[in-house]
């Protein structure tokens, strides 16, 4: 069974700083997808970024980028120039057999 | 992308009663999913709902407690039956698109008293 581990329950940074959230996963599959989701207090799950395992190039979406290390089964999220609106729970997720397995989440707070 | 409308957004229910949560998608999707998110925790998959067949439940979840309907490719319901305070959670509907992207409804915050 696939597992996803986020080892940082909480993080806090100052506005405009860069922050990196860690995620590791375990799977025996070779083709899969990885995601980062953001859940603000509104409860809405928002897709932040998506990575296809067969692509070596790291995905980037504006201020959000990932460091995907397939051999190490690591998938970290970097948020550059952090903004107050980035305050939320962040979940790393693995897609296998069209099901998502989520990590425990990291509560990120951006301070003014 | 997919836009999902989920309702109710919240409800307070008496123990022993049932609540049905509705999920409407703006496009046809093959796979719909129901998750539970207990306070302060991550998302746990309850079941996968496919149109035209019975839902597939994950370990720890049973049809008698969480019956699911999937009458067409844009709609599904989840019922939380015979509720107890332990069922107090956020319940989320999700769909997976052909691009293997999952989108979520706004969630239903259920409180059982």
């Amino acid at each position: 069974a696939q597992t996803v581990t986020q080892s940082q329950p909480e993080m806090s940074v100052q506005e405009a700083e860069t922050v990196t959230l860690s995620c590791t996963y375990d799977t025996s599959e070779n083709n899969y997808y990885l995601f980062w989701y953001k859940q603000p207090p509104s409860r809405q799950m928002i897709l932040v970024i998506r990575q296809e395992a067969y692509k070596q190039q790291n995905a980037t979406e504006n201020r959000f980028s990932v460091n995907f290390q397939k051999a190490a089964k690591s998938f970290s999220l970097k948020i550059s120039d952090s903004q107050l609106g980035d305050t939320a729970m962040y979940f790393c997720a693995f897609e296998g057999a069209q099901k998502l397995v989520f990590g425990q989440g990291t509560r990120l707070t951006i301070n003014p | 992308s997919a836009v999902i409308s989920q309702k109710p957004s919240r409800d307070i229910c008496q123990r022993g009663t049932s609540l049905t949560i509705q999920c409407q998608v703006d496009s046809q999707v093959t796979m719909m999913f129901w998750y539970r998110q207990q306070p302060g925790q991550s998302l746990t998959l309850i079941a996968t709902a496919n149109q035209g067949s019975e839902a597939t439940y994950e370990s720890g979840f049973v049809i008698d407690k969480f019956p699911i309907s999937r009458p067409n490719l844009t709609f599904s319901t989840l019922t939380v039956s015979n509720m107890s305070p332990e069922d107090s959670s956020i319940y989320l509907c999700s769909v997976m698109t052909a691009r293997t992207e999952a989108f979520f409804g706004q969630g239903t915050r259920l409180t059982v008293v």
Side-chain angles (χ1 to χ4, degrees):
Chain A
Q2 291 89 1
T3 58
V4 178
T5 302
Q6 294 177 246
S7 58
Q8 305 151 311
E10 294 187 17
M11 296 189 71
S12 178
V13 299
Q14 296 300 118
E15 191 176 7
E17 290 184 345
T18 294
V19 59
T20 299
L21 309 183
S22 301
C23 174
T24 58
Y25 60 94
D26 187 27
T27 183
S28 58
E29 297 183 21
N30 193 47
N31 294 319
Y32 50 87
Y33 295 81
L34 293 162
F35 307 87
W36 279 98
Y37 282 89
K38 166 184 177 181
Q39 188 180 42
S42 66
R43 300 198 308 263
Q44 179 73 57
M45 291 287 285
I46 302 167
L47 177 62
V48 175
I49 202 163
R50 169 180 176 269
Q51 174 78 42
E52 298 161 46
Y54 66 86
K55 288 188 176 180
Q56 292 185 333
Q57 185 173 5
N58 290 322
T60 299
E61 290 287 342
N62 300 314
R63 298 184 295 108
F64 299 88
S65 62
V66 298
N67 182 3
F68 174 48
Q69 302 289 328
K70 190 173 184 179
K73 297 180 181 174
S74 170
F75 183 61
S76 61
L77 174 70
K78 185 172 80 171
I79 305 174
S80 303
D81 186 25
S82 58
Q83 301 174 358
L84 297 179
D86 295 332
T87 293
M89 283 290 291
Y90 286 80
F91 292 98
C92 177
F94 172 97
E95 183 278 336
Q98 294 188 302
K99 293 181 183 180
L100 288 182
V101 176
F102 288 88
Q104 306 92 318
T106 297
R107 183 176 303 279
L108 176 64
T109 301
I110 310 298
N111 299 306
Chain B
S1 66
V3 177
I4 302 171
S5 175
Q6 185 176 338
K7 56 183 181 181
S9 60
R10 62 178 61 228
D11 208 341
I12 300 173
C13 300
Q14 296 291 323
R15 67 179 67 198
T17 63
S18 298
L19 175 71
T20 296
I21 303 168
Q22 298 181 0
C23 179
Q24 179 76 52
V25 191
D26 69 341
S27 58
Q28 294 185 338
V29 292
T30 302
M31 304 187 77
M32 296 181 74
F33 305 87
W34 288 97
Y35 290 86
R36 182 173 72 183
Q37 185 178 24
Q38 295 182 306
Q41 298 191 22
S42 186
L43 283 72
T44 301
L45 181 63
I46 297 172
T48 302
N50 294 323
Q51 194 265 339
S53 62
E54 285 195 5
T56 302
Y57 289 83
E58 298 298 307
S59 175
F61 298 97
V62 295
I63 187 171
D64 289 346
K65 178 66 175 177
F66 298 101
I68 288 171
S69 78
R70 182 80 199 274
N72 56 53
L73 291 173
T74 63
F75 187 79
S76 178
T77 66
L78 169 76
T79 299
V80 186
S81 303
N82 188 26
M83 288 183 286
S84 67
E86 291 72 32
D87 294 321
S88 296
S89 284
I90 296 171
Y91 292 86
L92 296 115
C93 166
S94 174
V95 302
M96 184 78 76
T97 68
R99 285 196 69 232
T100 315
E101 291 178 336
F103 295 93
F104 290 81
Q106 310 95 310
T108 297
R109 181 182 294 276
L110 171 62
T111 303
V112 184
V113 297

